[in-house]
Amino acid sequence: MPANEKFQQQLIQARRNQILQAAIEVISENGFQRTTVKQIAQRAEVADGTIYNYFKNKDAILMGIIAMITEAEERELHFAEAAQISFEEFVTTYVAHRMEEVEMGLPVLKAILPEMIVNEEIAKTINEKIYEPSFRVAEEYIAQQMKAGIISEADPVVAARLFASPLLGLFFLRLLGDEHVTANWQAYAKAMGQLLVKGFGTQEDPEKKSFKEQKDSQTE
């Protein structure tokens, strides 16, 4: 990619992030329905029309926020990096990271969750654009781990969704105001990582190679 084109893309991404950060602040304060594009533009310190150069409408801004918080665009990289380390290390690190992201994004998540539930079109788009691609990447990684004998054999499609379910459950309890979950969020992150490793029946031990190491050794 030419340097000038790469620089232009970086500028576009920076402006998108500027708008999304402003939207997160305003939506967290006012709620999604009461927030206007004009308010977002004012907080981002850009002209109203500038918003539409980057986002088609307010729903598209909501999608951008969800993609940012869930790190949807980095999901393939996360699981590619997972192949370099042990399953247990990946799970505990990944869970802790996702829990931290939920903690940081909690105010805006509270504000946009009702819209995600009641707006069928947005819910469908979120599932198609964010969660389905993420699950496909997770399914491939889990299938590789099973094939390598690192975790117990099962249906990767089911396993990928079970992997995500505990975090969603804790998030829901947090939204409901569970005081113990709220006060011990980091402890729950550690416990959930341990639970997932145990639940997937990992067969790893300190001497066991990572999936990548096993794969490399087979090609030598």
Side-chain angles (χ1 to χ4, degrees), residues 34-151:
R34 293 190 298 275
T35 294
T36 65
V37 170
K38 183 177 181 66
Q39 290 171 329
I40 295 172
Q42 289 176 339
R43 185 66 61 92
E45 298 183 342
V46 299
D48 296 4
T50 300
I51 299 286
Y52 296 103
N53 292 332
Y54 299 90
F55 300 96
K56 181 180 179 181
N57 50 36
K58 197 170 72 168
D59 287 354
I61 294 176
L62 184 147
M63 287 295 301
I65 291 173
I66 296 171
M68 175 183 283
I69 293 176
T70 61
E71 298 180 321
E73 295 180 358
E74 289 81 38
R75 198 58 48 85
E76 285 194 42
L77 176 61
H78 289 164
F79 280 96
E81 293 174 343
Q84 314 296 321
I85 59 179
S86 71
F87 178 77
E88 181 173 356
E89 182 180 356
F90 166 66
V91 170
T92 53
T93 302
Y94 184 78
V95 166
H97 176 68
R98 296 304 307 142
M99 294 276 282
E100 182 180 359
E101 290 297 311
V102 168
E103 175 82 9
M104 294 175 60
L106 195 63
V108 73
L109 286 171
K110 286 182 178 180
I112 65 178
L113 184 61
E115 192 69 20
M116 294 166 59
I117 293 174
V118 303
N119 190 320
E120 293 184 5
E121 189 62 31
I122 287 180
K124 181 180 179 181
T125 303
I126 291 172
N127 189 52
E128 291 179 350
K129 301 294 185 181
I130 295 179
Y131 287 106
E132 285 185 3
S134 296
F135 278 133
R136 284 195 293 270
V137 175
E139 290 161 18
E140 182 179 352
Y141 168 73
I142 290 172
Q144 290 173 343
Q145 298 295 305
M146 291 175 179
K147 184 177 180 180
I150 295 173
I151 60 177

Side-chain angles (χ1 to χ4, degrees), residues 15-26:
R15 181 53 62 90
R16 279 178 55 87
N17 289 342
Q18 177 186 352
I19 294 170
L20 289 175
Q21 289 295 346
I24 286 173
E25 293 176 10
V26 178

Side-chain angles (χ1 to χ4, degrees), residues 193-218:
Q194 296 171 342
L195 181 66
L196 283 171
V197 170
K198 183 177 180 180
F200 274 82
T202 177
Q203 303 173 38
E204 292 185 316
D205 58 55
E207 302 299 322
K208 197 170 185 64
K209 296 179 179 179
S210 70
F211 173 75
K212 181 178 184 299
E213 291 172 330
Q214 292 189 31
K215 186 176 180 181
D216 290 345
S217 66
Q218 293 172 0

